[in-house]
Amino acid sequence: MVDNLTQPSDAAGPFDRLKALLPARLRGAPVVPVVRLSGVIGAVTPLRPGLTLAGVAKMLERAFSMRNAKAVALVINSPGGSPVQSRQIYLRIRQLAAEKKLPVLVFVEDVAASGGYMIACAGDEIFCDPSSILGSIGVVGGSFGLQDLIKKIGIERRLYTAGEHKAMLDPFLPENPDDVARLKKIQREIHALFISLVKQSRSTKLKGADDVLFTGEYWAGDTAVTLGLADAIGDLRSVLRARFGDKVGMPVVAPAGGLLSGLLGRKAAGAGSLAAEGLGLGWSGLAEELISAAETRAIWARFGF
């Protein structure tokens, strides 16, 4: 089935048949560019890049500048990550929407949680599947306490600092309650910014109390709609065709390709290990990749994926 091209009829003239073969944006049909934002947010490792403003800015600019665009659709599938990168991507989307005077329609796939939900709030409307997971409006951080382990295997920790709190939360030192209190204070500040952004973006659409919405809990699609975290159940194709007509063009704006992106493991599974070998990272680089993969897996696992 051809979605964005109209099949020429036998009765049409040569010009009409040629015009029908053109992309929707070149023949005057309504267009809604689609940008996919998928993965953990933030720079995970050099060889396993996550979603960052630097990585998605060009895609967003191309989408909002597309000829005949009636709106921009964002397809989001992210369990969160860096609050800074999440907010910067959110702000850039809103800036472009204001500059180009285009509405933003967000479609949640499996997950829009934590920073992923923050980005989703850049949409004028949010649609999701009944099985999508949305929410997790909170801040989390974690580490390990390895001081007993290194003592057991006979390793002595030697750490030299200038600054009373420079070694704060070092996993090889006993936990300091004062350091934990400082971390919690920072988390509360970031959480307050997150809550403010959601309230500003969703405004009167929110239907749940603060002590329900902002505890870090997350919900499936139907409940998220009931709470006002999303607007409706719907998929990209059905919603855009119902709103802009069956002939609407839905071109996917893909990230820039090229040799360098392939070397950095952005194109295919397994490329990261090849890049590590080719760039001379050796076992150290591979170990970092394995740790990064485990951390990424743990983030997705919090939401059952």
Side-chain angles (χ1 to χ4, degrees), residues 151-254:
K151 182 178 179 181
K152 182 177 181 179
I153 61 179
I155 297 176
E156 180 184 354
R157 175 66 162 160
R158 295 175 181 174
L159 188 64
Y160 311 101
T161 67
E164 182 181 355
H165 303 294
K166 189 62 179 177
M168 186 175 78
L169 301 175
D170 186 296
F172 296 101
L173 296 175
E175 188 174 67
N176 184 331
D178 291 338
D179 292 344
V180 175
R182 292 186 187 91
L183 175 63
K184 295 290 289 184
K185 182 176 183 297
I186 294 172
Q187 289 180 323
R188 286 193 294 271
E189 291 173 359
I190 297 172
H191 192 199
L193 289 171
F194 194 172
I195 292 171
S196 176
L197 182 148
V198 173
K199 286 186 172 182
Q200 178 182 348
S201 301
R202 300 297 296 169
S203 189
T204 56
K205 294 180 178 181
L206 295 175
K207 302 168 186 174
D210 286 7
D211 59 0
V212 173
L213 295 176
F214 305 130
T215 63
E217 187 177 355
Y218 48 85
W219 300 271
D222 284 322
T223 303
V225 171
T226 300
L227 293 172
L229 296 176
D231 293 281
I233 300 296
D235 65 278
L236 177 102
R237 190 177 304 274
S238 300
V239 170
L240 295 188
R241 284 184 169 180
R243 190 160 300 188
F244 301 103
D246 290 343
K247 304 301 182 182
V248 62
M250 294 173 268
V252 176
V253 182

Side-chain angles (χ1 to χ4, degrees), residues 37-70:
L37 301 175
S38 181
V40 176
I41 301 166
V44 184
T45 70
L47 297 180
R48 192 182 295 273
L51 286 174
T52 64
L53 178 60
V56 303
K58 292 296 184 183
M59 282 197 303
L60 293 172
E61 289 164 9
R62 283 159 48 206
F64 278 95
S65 299
M66 193 167 290
R67 183 179 177 182
N68 293 330
K70 302 302 181 184

Side-chain angles (χ1 to χ4, degrees), residues 256-268 270-272 274-275:
L259 177 62
L260 182 60
S261 63
L263 287 175
L264 292 180
R266 299 186 186 193
K267 285 197 169 185
L274 294 176

Side-chain angles (χ1 to χ4, degrees), residues 91-175:
L91 290 174
R92 187 63 183 135
I93 294 167
R94 293 316 310 164
Q95 289 163 359
L96 288 167
E99 289 170 12
K100 304 297 183 179
K101 296 180 172 57
L102 288 174
V104 179
L105 306 178
V106 167
F107 296 88
V108 178
E109 291 190 322
D110 295 308
V111 182
S114 195
Y117 184 72
M118 183 184 289
I119 295 175
C121 284
D124 296 288
E125 296 177 73
I126 300 175
F127 300 89
C128 60
D129 186 86
S131 298
S132 299
I133 289 178
L134 295 87
S136 191
I137 303 170
V139 182
V140 63
S143 183
F144 297 94
L146 303 175
Q147 70 277 7
D148 291 335
L149 174 62
I150 63 172
K151 182 178 179 181
K152 182 177 181 179
I153 61 179
I155 297 176
E156 180 184 354
R157 175 66 162 160
R158 295 175 181 174
L159 188 64
Y160 311 101
T161 67
E164 182 181 355
H165 303 294
K166 189 62 179 177
M168 186 175 78
L169 301 175
D170 186 296
F172 296 101
L173 296 175
E175 188 174 67

